[in-house]
Amino acid sequence: MGPLIPNGIISGDWNFVIALLLGIAFGFILEASGFSSSRNIVGVFYGYNFVVLRVFFTAVIVAMVGFLYFDYFGWLDLDKIFILPTYLSPMIAGSVIMGFGFVLGGFCPGTSYTAIAIGKIDGLVFSIGLFLGIFIFSEIFPLFKDFYYSGYLGNVTLSDVTGIPAAWFAFAFTIIALAAFWITMLIEKRVRKNIKEYKF
Amino acid sequence: MKKNTITKNRPHYINPYLGGVLLGLLVILTVYITGRGLGASGAVKSAVATTVDVVAPNNAESNPYISKFISDDHSPMYNWLVFESLGIFFGGLLSGILFGRVKKPWVEKSPKITSKTRLIAALAGGILFGIGSQFGRGCSSGAALSGSSTFSLGGVIVMLALFGTGYAIAWLFKKLWI
């Protein structure tokens, strides 16, 4: 059956309407979870608010387990879904750069859009920065072209690389997430006692 | 009256685990319908390509990166992620209105820093995130969330390296936040 649009079950004409609707749901969940606030987001790095970890890890384990069931019941052809390609070194370098951007800016792209929506100037400035950053990247791209395409492993999954079934990764990730939920709950309690700059 | 004070002083957020379940279901629904996951940085990439194409069409064609996203049929803005990102904005607005968080433009910051410092840091952060997301083939939405959820090796690498870096360097920028 699924994916519906690539399999022609829903016409591609609906693509942009669906994009808008899924985006609205995405933005709603991000904002309602508190991600329109940079101070909520970076709390994950200083221990005073682990909402990012809770939402993110829960989402990943729900989606991982969900995909396994969808595949098992034959609802979704996992061979037809897009698997993000792996370019080893540029992806690690890019993530390190993003990590700096995350701690400095307090947003990631999606959350900054929801921050603009509720009137945060810092969200708007972050988004302007994104635009400038991608422009700068496109200008310096010729210098880094070889690096950009280096370390290509293909559109591989964890199972393709290790030979271990996906279910084991979902299981391991669930255990890690549950442990992280518990540990961070304890850390958060302790850190919050000593922080006065932030209202909970 | 009591309820009013609570509304005033405490932002109403949904339970994070509920938010996570909803977000996970949304990732499944998105992949089930479109065959791909969610994203966010791609829309800005389209905006950059469009701007360069409009302001300096020759540069756009000769730039080996921008030219990848430019075609004669349609503008780079005519793109799934652009519509989805518009949706993110409106969804955020909807939630903000519903929970009473929409305000006149203001800068949220730690009381220890000035608004100017906060905005400079936000701009720098945005620039770095923009550059990094291109090397990373996506940001926290497209690569870390959607990529990891579909068991992509690259997605998991971005998730670990992005948050790992955050933890490793957080102490450097502590003054910005606490």
Side-chain angles (χ1 to χ4, degrees):
Chain A
M1 268 194 77
L4 300 179
I5 291 177
N7 279 346
I9 295 167
I10 294 182
S11 154
D13 298 341
W14 287 94
N15 225 338
F16 291 151
V17 178
I18 290 167
L20 190 69
L21 293 175
L22 291 170
I24 289 174
F26 189 21
F28 191 96
I29 297 167
L30 291 177
E31 208 290 324
S33 300
F35 292 175
S36 54
S37 161
S38 57
R39 299 184 74 198
N40 290 347
I41 293 176
V42 293
V44 74
F45 296 123
Y46 298 104
Y48 64 79
N49 192 340
F50 283 99
V51 62
V52 167
L53 180 135
R54 291 182 186 120
V55 174
F56 193 93
F57 273 16
T58 308
V60 172
I61 58 183
V62 166
M64 277 183 163
V65 174
F67 284 130
L68 293 174
Y69 275 103
F70 270 56
D71 184 45
Y72 182 73
F73 291 128
W75 296 339
L76 181 65
D77 186 352
L78 289 187
D79 294 331
K80 280 198 179 167
I81 68 170
F82 172 75
I83 300 295
L84 186 80
T86 301
Y87 295 84
L88 211 51
S89 25
M91 275 173 121
I92 293 172
S95 304
V96 170
I97 299 171
M98 280 192 273
F100 274 87
F102 207 1
V103 176
L104 265 171
F107 289 113
C108 58
T111 55
S112 73
Y113 309 156
T114 67
I116 301 172
I118 67 158
K120 300 255 170 89
I121 299 170
D122 42 327
L124 177 66
V125 171
F126 182 89
S127 294
I128 294 170
L130 284 177
F131 184 93
L132 294 175
I134 296 176
F135 177 72
I136 292 168
F137 174 86
S138 70
E139 289 297 308
I140 60 171
F141 178 69
L143 294 172
F144 292 96
K145 197 175 175 186
D146 291 340
F147 178 67
Y148 179 80
Y149 288 113
S150 66
Y152 182 59
L153 299 179
N155 299 59
V156 289
T157 63
L158 296 168
S159 305
D160 295 334
V161 181
T162 59
I164 299 167
W168 284 103
F169 286 105
F171 180 68
F173 200 77
T174 307
I175 300 292
I176 293 169
L178 292 177
F181 294 152
W182 184 66
I183 294 167
T184 54
M185 185 185 71
L186 300 178
I187 295 174
E188 199 179 71
K189 258 187 203 158
R190 191 174 272 200
V191 173
R192 282 189 178 194
K193 275 184 199 158
N194 306 317
I195 287 188
K196 294 172 196 74
E197 290 83 5
Y198 175 89
K199 257 186 257 167
F200 299 103
Chain B
M1 188 62 199
K2 199 184 170 195
K3 204 181 171 209
N4 235 341
T5 351
I6 292 171
T7 321
K8 236 183 177 176
N9 298 331
R10 276 184 156 232
H12 278 241
Y13 297 124
I14 58 170
N15 181 292
Y17 300 107
L18 172 67
V21 170
L22 293 174
L23 188 55
L25 294 175
L26 182 67
V27 172
I28 297 174
L29 182 70
T30 306
V31 174
Y32 179 66
I33 296 175
T34 69
R36 303 180 65 114
L38 297 158
S41 56
V44 182
K45 184 172 74 183
S46 295
V48 170
T50 308
T51 310
V52 176
D53 194 29
V54 169
V55 176
N58 293 333
N59 284 5
E61 272 168 42
S62 62
N63 183 303
Y65 195 64
I66 301 277
S67 60
K68 291 204 293 177
F69 311 108
I70 292 181
S71 75
D72 292 332
D73 321 337
H74 54 76
S75 152
M77 291 310 271
Y78 202 65
N79 170 291
W80 199 89
L81 285 171
V82 172
F83 285 82
E84 185 236 18
S85 294
L86 273 178
I88 297 178
F89 174 85
F90 287 115
L93 183 63
L94 196 68
S95 165
I97 292 170
L98 202 68
F99 292 100
R101 277 192 288 269
V102 182
K103 289 190 196 170
K104 278 184 194 162
W106 65 297
V107 179
E108 191 194 23
K109 59 172 188 64
S110 160
K112 284 183 179 169
I113 58 169
T114 62
S115 290
K116 193 180 163 194
T117 309
R118 168 68 189 123
L119 293 181
I120 291 169
L123 187 72
I127 291 173
L128 290 171
F129 222 116
I131 295 172
S133 64
Q134 302 311 297
F135 282 114
R137 268 69 176 185
C139 59
S140 4
S141 315
L145 175 64
S146 304
S148 301
S149 298
T150 49
F151 301 95
S152 153
L153 173 68
V156 175
I157 288 172
V158 171
M159 173 177 69
L160 295 178
L162 171 53
F163 285 100
T165 305
Y167 278 105
I169 61 152
W171 61 275
L172 275 175
F173 303 105
K174 200 177 169 200
K175 280 202 174 138
L176 285 175
W177 304 105
I178 52 173

